[in-house]
Amino acid sequence: MTAILRTSNMKELLKQNIRKHIVLSENETEEFCDLFEQKSIQKKGFLLREGEVCKFEGFVTKGLFRVYHIDQNGFEQILYFAVENWWITDIDSFCNETPSQLYIEALEDSEVLVITKINKEFSYANLPKIEKLFRVMTQKTHVALQRRMIDNLSKTAESRYIEFREKYPHIIQRLSNIQIAAYLGITNVFLSNIRKKIALKK
Amino acid sequence: MTAILRTSNMKELLKQNIRKHIVLSENETEEFCDLFEQKSIQKKGFLLREGEVCKFEGFVTKGLFRVYHIDQNGFEQILYFAVENWWITDIDSFCNETPSQLYIEALEDSEVLVITKINKEFSYANLPKIEKLFRVMTQKTHVALQRRMIDNLSKTAESRYIEFREKYPHIIQRLSNIQIAAYLGITNVFLSNIRKKIALKK
DNA sequence: CGAAAACATTAAACTAGTTTAATAAATTAG
DNA sequence: CTAATTTATTAAACTAGTTTAATGTTTTCG
C-alpha cells in the first residue's frame, strides 16, 4: 500500500515536469506516464556501465546520479549530475544502439522512472505531442551543453568553480570535492588550491 | 534564369539532407522546402552578430561559416564550422528569443537557405513529421557536442588536433591555423609547436 | 565501537599550454 | 604590381593546472 502511494507521488513529479515543457491533456499525460516503470538504485549502484547499450531514458525522482566517462589514462570526466526532476540517459548509445562509453552511477540511494526505447518509439507513433516533448527537451539540454562548452573554452577553473557553486548550490553541497573537480575538468588537488585561495580572499 | 536554376539545385541539396534524417512524401518535402529563402553572404560577412536575436535556422549550400564567441578577454572560441550540407543557427538565442552571444561569419563566399522562426513554427503545426525531423537533428547535434565535450576534458591538444584532421580532412584544408586553434581551444602559437612536433616525428 | 577506506589539504617538482615579441611568408586590395 | 595586412613560425619567459607523496580528517561498515 505504502509502495503504491509512493509510486504515484513519483509519477506526479514526472507529470509536473512534462507540463513545464509542453501542453498535454490529462488523458495523454496519463497514457504516457503509464509507460514508465520505477527503479530503485542504491548508492554506488549503476544504471548503466561502459560497453552496455543504453536501452532506457530515465527521470530521477529521488537521489543523485553522476554520468561519467573513464579515459585511456583511467581518469574520470563527469558529463553531468542528475538530481530530482532531471532526465538521464546516454543519448548517443540510446539513439544509435551502440555500446555506451559512459557510466551512470548513483551517488545516493535513488529512485528513477524509466521508459524503454520500445515504449518511447510507441509514444512517438501514438502521441504526436511526445515528439514535441523530446524535441523541446533535447533542445534545452543542447543549449545547456553549448553554454558549458563555451565556458570550458573561455574561463579559468576558478571562475568555473565559482559559477557552478552559484548555479547549483543545492547540488554542490551533496557532492564531494572529487566529484566537483571531475566535473570542472581539473584535479581535486587543484580544486583544493582554488578553495583555499577563495577562502583567503574573504 | 541561371539564378532560378541555381536556387533549385540548392533546394535539391536540402531535400537530400532531409531524406537522410526522416521519411517524407514528395509533397511534404516540397511544401517544407518552399518555406526557405536563399541568402548570399560574402566572405567576412555576418549571418548573425552578438546582441542580435537569431531569427533563423540555416542550411549551408555553398561556402564555409564559423560560429564563435568572443570572451571577456577578447579571445575567440569557435563552437563549430559549417560547410555545405550543414545546418547553422544559434539554438540558444533562436529558442529563447534572447540576444545571441555568438557571431556567425562566412569564411568564404557562401550561400544559405534560411527559414524564419515563424515558418518553422508553422511547419511544426502543419507537418507533424517536421517535429520529428528537428528532434532527430537536434539529437545528432547533441551527440556530437557531447563527444567533443568528453574529448576536450580528456585529451591533449595534440591528439585533439590529430583527430580533427582525421575526421574533417576536407574542412581543415580550407581553414587557417588561427581558426583551427580557436576551435581546439589553444593559441595559434601552440598549434604551431604541435605541427612542428608532428612533422619531426615522421 | 573500531578498523579500514575514502576524502581534503598541503607542499614541491613538473609540464602543457600562454604570452609577448620578432621575423619571414603568403594573401589581399588598391 | 606593390604596399599593407594577415598568417605562420620560432624563441624565451611565464603560469595554470598536474603529479606524487605525505598527513590529518571524515565516513563507512562489519
Side-chain angles (χ1 to χ4, degrees), chain A residues 69 71 77 79 90-92 95-96 102 124 131-132 134-135 138-139 141-143 145-150 152-154 185, chain B residues 69 71 77 79 90-92 95-96 102 124 131-132 134-135 138-139 141-143 145-150 152-154 185:
Chain A
H69 171 71
D71 70 24
Q77 286 88 36
L79 264 179
D90 174 1
I91 191 176
D92 193 346
C95 292
N96 303 317
L102 304 178
Y124 285 150
E131 194 82 63
K132 181 178 286 275
F134 284 97
R135 175 184 57 81
T138 308
Q139 273 175 0
T141 317
H142 187 63
V143 164
L145 187 59
Q146 185 168 294
R147 288 185 186 157
R148 186 166 166 222
M149 189 78 211
I150 291 175
N152 267 290
L153 288 170
S154 64
Chain B
H69 170 71
D71 69 24
Q77 285 89 37
L79 264 179
D90 174 1
I91 192 177
D92 192 346
C95 293
N96 302 317
L102 304 179
Y124 285 152
E131 195 82 62
K132 182 178 287 274
F134 284 99
R135 174 182 60 81
T138 308
Q139 272 174 1
T141 317
H142 186 64
V143 164
L145 187 60
Q146 186 168 295
R147 288 184 187 158
R148 187 167 165 221
M149 189 80 211
I150 290 173
N152 268 289
L153 288 171
S154 64

Side-chain angles (χ1 to χ4, degrees), chain A residues 18 35 69 89 94 174:
Chain A
I18 292 168
L35 299 173
H69 171 71
T89 186
F94 183 83
R174 292 159 73 177

Side-chain angles (χ1 to χ4, degrees), chain B residues 127-169:
Chain B
L127 295 164
K129 283 182 194 158
I130 296 304
E131 195 82 62
K132 182 178 287 274
L133 174 66
F134 284 99
R135 174 182 60 81
V136 169
M137 291 204 320
T138 308
Q139 272 174 1
K140 289 181 184 173
T141 317
H142 186 64
V143 164
L145 187 60
Q146 186 168 295
R147 288 184 187 158
R148 187 167 165 221
M149 189 80 211
I150 290 173
D151 284 354
N152 268 289
L153 288 171
S154 64
K155 292 177 181 164
T156 63
E158 180 175 342
S159 55
R160 266 144 51 211
Y161 173 63
I162 292 171
E163 284 165 25
F164 183 48
R165 253 187 0 182
E166 285 166 358
K167 195 163 178 193
Y168 303 109

